[in-house]
Amino acid sequence: MKIAIGNDHAGPDYKHTIVKYLESEGHEVTNYGTDTTDSVDYPDFGHLVAKDVENGVVDFGIVICGSGNGIAMSVNKHKNVRAALCWMKEIAELAREHNDANVISIPARYTSENQALEMVKTFLTTAFEGGRHQRRVDKISHC
């Protein structure tokens, strides 16, 4: 799988843990995130991930900021990007099964690195159920 990851200053340690895991599983990872805790603007990194998802360059995106909210809002501005803010693996699972989410947003200040890794594993291995959920997903970007 091809995966893009982006983070702000709240998530470099999380990103390193996740990237190490993904690469050990044979995934190709594009790293758009910062590697320091120096303050940066999360949209700058989120938009890069979202563009790759939007254009089909990657299969999935992972974004990380302090609350997970700002970066999720940023990436959700892109066509056909469905970012889900997740704080436990059960939410990550439902985001894939019911919403066909293609980006997981992780709140670094409210989850542990182990929780984040479990959410990513669950997110990437859970299939979209389709069926009645497809009708709803089709309505997400319909304005």
Side-chain angles (χ1 to χ4, degrees):
M1 245 185 285
K2 293 182 179 180
I3 301 162
I5 190 166
N7 62 284
D8 73 1
H9 50 275
D13 292 340
Y14 286 64
K15 178 187 65 180
H16 293 300
T17 297
I18 293 166
V19 168
K20 183 178 177 182
Y21 163 75
L22 294 172
E23 289 176 342
S24 76
E25 293 291 308
H27 300 298
E28 184 181 318
V29 181
T30 303
N31 175 7
Y32 289 118
T34 184
D35 290 319
T36 74
T37 56
D38 297 337
S39 183
V40 296
D41 298 334
Y42 54 79
D44 296 340
F45 302 99
H47 287 307
L48 294 171
V49 171
K51 285 178 185 175
D52 277 3
V53 173
E54 180 178 33
N55 295 323
V57 175
V58 298
D59 301 298
F60 291 103
I62 300 168
V63 293
I64 309 161
C65 76
S67 71
N69 279 311
I71 203 162
M73 290 176 190
S74 298
V75 301
N76 275 326
K77 299 296 182 188
H78 292 260
K79 185 177 181 179
N80 297 321
V81 172
R82 291 173 304 282
L85 172 58
C86 300
W87 56 93
M88 54 197 271
K89 72 178 189 174
E90 292 82 5
I91 299 296
E93 182 176 35
L94 286 174
R96 287 287 307 129
E97 287 178 347
H98 293 191
N99 310 116
D100 198 19
N102 49 20
V103 176
I104 183 171
S105 182
I106 300 170
R109 293 194 176 117
Y110 299 95
T111 58
S112 70
E113 283 182 50
N114 286 337
Q115 284 176 296
L117 189 55
E118 286 303 310
M119 289 188 297
V120 167
K121 289 177 184 179
T122 299
F123 188 82
L124 296 177
T125 58
T126 302
F128 176 51
E129 286 182 358
R132 71 183 194 276
H133 303 295
Q134 184 64 57
R135 174 178 82 246
R136 296 165 185 158
V137 169
D138 290 342
K139 292 179 179 182
I140 290 174
S141 61
H142 180 71
C143 300

